């Protein structure tokens, strides 16, 4: 029944968009292949097709996009790229440098993208000053998810500072719960470390470290403190964490085995699937010490140069549709993220999403809005990989020295620049 309702909603949304005079084809490479992601992608397809165009789906599952990028490179090198591809962060600039992306400025001006998008995100969508990609959503990375029933049983208080976080962890541990549900995979280790760095160094210190790649910041006392905090946190995860998927860790909190999880807002989709209600069955808090900061991960579609005029028209209509309010609402309610538009009505979203949007807008006014390193927004994949290697090796070595780790971090980043 839900599927029928969603389909009806999608068709209803599509009927609001006028039929295009010149029908073309849009081939879209993406890896939205599971659950709510696929429903949302199917809706985008319907919205485009209702404008008279043909949607050619190019879904490549697995690997968080690595497989899709391999396929895309092969297609691009052969001179046959798709109309749009799911590309994000600094990778957009790399494709722009190859001269393969098309200029979307006419569409952007017509639809006032500079006004409805935060400048920090708009800048990532541009190459050489012109829009070449369209943002789909905003994920917040620095979230702490807690089970209030478990907290009540342990007599623990939801934490706002790192000291309070470890005090709550001690109570959860003493009461027989796993304090922090975690999956021992490099990107998950990196996500936790990233949140700790924002907490300890602040958003501006985080930017110096992971966007500017400033050596003094990377080796400084506060970075050493961040590693020491990560080492302390290691004592509050269970012995079976190695290799665990993030959603399995989320299930530990949902099922009452663990009290907390440090994870981005895609974790919310697991709570929703379990018929849990935000603010009642679970709580979402900014990771302790990161209040006022918002580490973002933005999905986006980069647009490639096409030869046929009708296909270019279809491509432009796709770009308009992605940032249209109807799609922004439907996609983000399915994906757990929030709309990228600052003017979006959030009344239909849950309390976590509403808080996320409020925090997003506030952070966008100053230095608080920062790109996630762990999720490919802050630096190249080479830098990201170097950081993951150092962090994961440190996290898994009980004898590791925080000061030495900070030195290794700077050296590893310098080696791949």
């Amino acid at each position: 029944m839900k599927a029928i309702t969603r389909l009806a909603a999608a068709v209803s949304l599509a009927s609001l968009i006028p039929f295009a005079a010149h029908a073309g084809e849009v081939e879209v490479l993406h890896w939205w292949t599971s659950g709510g992601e696929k429903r949302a992608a199917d809706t985008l397809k319907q919205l485009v097709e209702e404008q008279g165009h043909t949607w050619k789906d190019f879904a490549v599952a697995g690997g968080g996009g690595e497989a899709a990028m391999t396929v895309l490179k092969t297609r691009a090198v052969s001179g046959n790229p798709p109309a749009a591809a799911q590309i994000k962060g600094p990778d957009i600039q790399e494709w722009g440098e190859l001269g393969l992306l098309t200029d979307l400025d006419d569409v952007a001006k017509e639809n006032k993208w500079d006004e409805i998008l935060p400048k920090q995100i708009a800048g990532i969508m541009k190459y050489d000053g012109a829009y070449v990609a369209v943002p789909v959503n905003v994920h917040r990375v620095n979230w702490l998810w807690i089970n209030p029933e478990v907290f009540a049983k342990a007599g623990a208080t939801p934490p706002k500072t790192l000291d309070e976080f470890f005090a709550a962890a001690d109570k959860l541990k003493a009461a027989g719960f796993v304090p922090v549900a975690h999956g021992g995979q490099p990107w998950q280790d990196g996500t936790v470390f990233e949140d700790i760095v924002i907490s300890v160094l602040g958003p501006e210190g985080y930017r110096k470290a992971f966007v500017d790649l400033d050596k003094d910041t990377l080796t400084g006392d506060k970075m050493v403190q961040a590693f020491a905090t990560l080492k302390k946190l290691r004592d509050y995860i269970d012995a079976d964490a190695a290799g665990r998927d993030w959603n399995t860790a989320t299930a530990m909190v949902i099922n009452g085995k663990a009290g907390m999880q440090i994870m981005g807002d895609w974790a919310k989709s697991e709570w929703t699937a379990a018929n849990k209600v935000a603010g009642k069955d679970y709580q979402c808090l900014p990771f302790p010490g990161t209040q006022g900061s918002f580490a973002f991960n933005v999905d986006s579609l980069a647009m490639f140069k096409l030869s046929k005029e009708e296909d270019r028209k279809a491509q432009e209509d796709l770009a308009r549709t992605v940032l249209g309010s109807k799609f922004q609402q439907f996609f983000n309610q399915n994906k757990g993220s929030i709309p990228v538009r600052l003017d979006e009505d959030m009344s239909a979203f849950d309390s976590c999403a509403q808080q996320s949007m409020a925090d997003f807008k506030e952070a966008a006014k100053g230095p608080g809005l920062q790109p996630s390193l762990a999720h490919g927004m802050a630096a190249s994949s080479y830098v990201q990989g170097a950081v993951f290697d150092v962090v994961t090796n440190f996290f898994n070595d009980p004898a590791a020295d925080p000061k030495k780790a900070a030195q290794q971090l700077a050296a590893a980043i310098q080696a791949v620049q």
Side-chain angles (χ1 to χ4, degrees), residues 184-220:
Q185 297 171 341
W187 73 267
Q188 293 191 62
D189 298 341
T191 296
V192 171
F193 184 65
E194 172 179 295
D195 290 349
I196 290 172
V197 170
I198 298 173
S199 180
V200 175
L201 278 74
E204 290 170 294
Y206 167 88
R207 186 172 190 85
K208 283 184 180 178
F210 293 143
V211 177
D212 301 337
L213 308 179
D214 177 68
K215 185 178 179 181
D216 289 343
T217 305
L218 289 166
T219 58

Side-chain angles (χ1 to χ4, degrees), residues 280-297:
K280 178 189 171 187
D281 300 313
Y282 65 99
Q283 288 183 313
C284 51
L285 309 172
F287 181 76
T290 70
Q291 293 87 339
S293 295
F294 192 112
F296 66 83
N297 174 25

